[in-house]
Amino acid sequence: MTLNDGIGNVPKMGLDGNQSTDLAKYWFVFLAHLRIIASATGVFFIISVFHFFSLPNIYTATTTILAEQTETPPSRQEMLKTTTSTDVDEYYGTQLAILRGLKIEKMVKAELGGDSEGYAISASHIRDTRILSLSVTHLKPELAAKIANKFAEIYVRESKHENAFIGQQILQLLPGSPEAVLPGGSAVVSQGFSKQEFASSLNSVSGDPQVTQLLNEKLGIQSKLTELSQRYGPEHPAIKDLNQRLSTVESDIKARSETILSNVKANLAGEANITNIKVLEEAPVPKNPSGPNRFRGILSWTLIGFCASASLISFFEYANQKVRTKNDVISLGICFLGYIPLVTEFLKAKNYHEFPEEPDLVRVLKANATLADAVANARTHILFSMPYEKSRRIMLTSAIPDEGKSTVAALLAVSLTTLGRKILLVDG
């Protein structure tokens, strides 16, 4: 048997019961520790306010760069498509890596000197476009714009140099050009094909409409020659006429190819400055700071404080093994007999200097209806929880002193006398 002379403050957290009961437990736990949770949340709020308002403003300048993927090679780089990925994501990922690379960063620092310190750079590809976005964050808006534009300028410039370098290598493989010598003394070597074959494979030559028409005409003449050669000798007028026409077509093809190659050489030699990358919009000087986002930061830290304090309270409440409620008693396999509310007069009676006389239990029971009902319910549960023969001796005990054993025993004794029972109360 167990009696509790307290009101029972907060229901203990548990896994038993339905969902609504669990939610009610959480709600009561929250309400019982509302001051602690509110205090912890307030501390997080105050600290976050001081922290975020002590941070300086930062400014972000953004420039955009148009980077065309050279699926069809420009005139100055006939074979550039062999060095460019056909995968769009891979191509722009490569360009972003170059833009943020250490080489360009070193060049920016070398050209700007001390103005290039204390910045943060980010670059991204704008989806479904051919545009790269470059952003630089700095404490000073003027330097943010200056550094962003310098990065874009050097990136475009280095792209032109790279294109020119590739063009110079291709130039060495064309007919009439000396062997290419690369930095370090290595040479460009054509393996398995002649310069004439390489020139004929260029898109500018093989894709030219006039050259295509002449080649088709050449194939037609050669087909007729093969057919007529089976019936006539080489001196036949028809054979001579076809040979003459074939010679003329071959001369025309050669002349047209030389003209195209001459233009290609001029472009590859740098007479035409063509590039597939350019600055689309320079970064303006930002007028408003881009960060820090003080409102979001303060709100985030305040929510963190609230969630952390609520979680800790819930954890300690769940880990608490004290017996405080009806469910705690039942979970131990013990019969719960009822609550006995706390009466302040009994507490005051312990101070013998202020209240030298013991309180009258009969008077208290008559004056306090809540107490009388609680004692009557406990008495009823006690009597019905055991046979009549075994209910003639009842012992009340507790784990520690001053838990209300004597008070509860006296109240039960007075209540049992109302049923006509003779009671002997022994306090030991």
Side-chain angles (χ1 to χ4, degrees):
M1 295 183 300
T2 303
L3 293 176
N4 188 344
D5 64 338
I7 297 176
N9 294 326
V10 181
K12 184 181 177 184
M13 302 293 294
L15 298 178
D16 55 334
N18 54 36
Q19 184 177 4
S20 60
T21 304
D22 292 339
L23 291 177
K25 291 179 180 179
Y26 280 103
W27 176 247
F28 284 123
V29 169
F30 176 81
L31 291 180
H33 300 88
L34 184 59
R35 290 186 178 180
I36 298 177
I37 296 175
S39 300
T41 304
V43 169
F44 271 80
F45 172 77
I46 293 173
I47 293 176
S48 63
V49 168
F50 279 102
H51 172 70
F52 283 100
F53 277 95
S54 64
L55 296 177
N57 291 332
I58 57 176
Y59 297 85
T60 301
T62 302
T63 181
T64 54
I65 303 170
L66 178 64
E68 295 279 358
Q69 186 179 13
T70 54
E71 296 178 356
T72 301
S75 59
R76 68 184 301 265
Q77 302 180 103
E78 297 297 333
M79 296 302 293
L80 186 60
K81 68 175 182 179
T82 62
T83 61
T84 304
S85 173
T86 57
D87 189 340
V88 175
D89 293 335
E90 182 179 348
Y91 171 76
Y92 285 107
T94 302
Q95 297 304 314
L96 290 175
I98 295 173
L99 182 57
R100 295 188 298 252
L102 186 60
K103 177 182 177 181
I104 293 183
E105 183 178 0
K106 288 182 177 180
M107 298 178 70
V108 169
K109 291 183 177 181
E111 294 189 18
L112 294 182
D115 291 342
S116 61
E117 299 296 333
Y119 69 89
I121 181 176
S122 63
S124 62
H125 172 225
I126 300 178
R127 188 174 181 180
D128 298 329
T129 68
R130 300 175 182 178
I131 299 175
L132 303 179
S133 176
L134 172 68
S135 298
V136 172
T137 302
H138 200 279
L139 296 177
K140 297 181 180 179
E142 298 81 6
L143 289 182
K146 185 177 181 180
I147 296 173
N149 291 327
K150 181 57 69 172
F151 261 95
E153 175 190 339
I154 294 178
Y155 168 66
V156 174
R157 188 175 67 203
E158 288 302 305
S159 298
K160 291 180 180 179
H161 291 169
E162 182 67 20
N163 291 344
F165 176 73
I166 295 174
Q168 290 297 322
Q169 296 181 69
I170 298 173
L171 180 62
Q172 310 306 320
L173 297 176
L174 296 179
S177 300
E179 293 299 329
V181 179
L182 302 178
S186 60
V188 176
V189 180
S190 59
Q191 298 180 359
F193 61 89
S194 64
K195 289 187 174 182
Q196 190 61 44
E197 291 175 342
F198 176 77
S200 300
S201 67
L202 297 179
N203 282 355
S204 293
V205 177
S206 61
D208 182 71
Q210 187 174 345
V211 173
T212 302
Q213 182 180 358
L214 291 172
L215 288 174
N216 291 334
E217 186 177 352
K218 178 181 177 181
L219 290 175
I221 295 173
Q222 289 176 339
S223 176
K224 289 183 178 181
L225 273 175
T226 303
E227 181 182 353
L228 293 178
S229 296
Q230 296 177 356
R231 293 183 294 173
Y232 306 111
E235 298 299 327
H236 193 277
I239 299 296
K240 289 183 177 181
D241 182 58
L242 288 175
N243 285 328
Q244 186 176 0
R245 288 174 56 192
L246 179 61
S247 177
T248 303
V249 169
E250 289 178 345
S251 299
D252 292 342
I253 292 174
K254 182 179 179 181
R256 179 58 183 172
S257 299
E258 289 178 353
T259 302
I260 295 174
L261 290 176
S262 177
N263 294 332
V264 170
K265 289 181 179 180
N267 291 334
L268 292 174
E271 296 179 14
N273 189 16
I274 301 174
T275 181
N276 63 317
I277 297 176
K278 69 175 182 178
V279 176
L280 198 61
E281 292 181 0
E282 291 189 349
V285 178
K287 297 181 180 179
N288 299 318
S290 59
N293 192 331
R294 295 182 174 88
F295 174 78
R296 185 174 63 182
I298 293 172
L299 179 61
S300 299
W301 279 100
T302 303
L303 290 177
I304 290 174
F306 173 79
C307 296
S309 58
S311 299
L312 285 176
I313 291 296
S314 300
F315 171 76
F316 286 121
E317 187 67 27
Y318 182 80
N320 194 338
Q321 299 299 317
K322 293 182 179 180
V323 177
R324 296 174 294 171
T325 66
K326 175 181 177 180
N327 290 335
D328 297 337
V329 176
I330 295 175
S331 66
L332 296 174
I334 302 174
C335 179
F336 178 78
L337 299 176
Y339 288 104
I340 302 297
L342 187 64
V343 180
T344 56
E345 293 185 54
F346 297 150
L347 294 177
K348 293 178 180 179
K350 293 182 180 180
N351 191 343
Y352 298 105
H353 299 288
E354 185 177 354
F355 300 95
E357 298 182 0
E358 291 289 338
D360 187 346
L361 295 179
V362 177
R363 180 186 58 80
V364 173
L365 282 173
K366 290 182 179 180
N368 193 330
T370 303
L371 176 62
D373 291 340
V375 174
N377 288 333
R379 177 199 66 196
T380 303
H381 285 134
I382 291 173
L383 295 177
F384 279 97
S385 64
M386 64 185 71
Y388 175 77
E389 293 78 11
K390 293 185 178 181
S391 65
R392 300 184 65 181
R393 290 191 302 272
I394 302 173
M395 183 181 71
L396 281 75
T397 185
S398 67
I400 59 177
D402 295 330
E403 285 195 324
K405 297 180 293 295
S406 300
T407 301
V408 173
L411 290 172
L412 283 174
V414 173
S415 180
L416 286 169
T417 58
T418 62
L419 300 178
R421 302 275 184 100
K422 292 181 180 181
I423 304 301
L424 174 62
L425 178 62
V426 179
D427 191 4

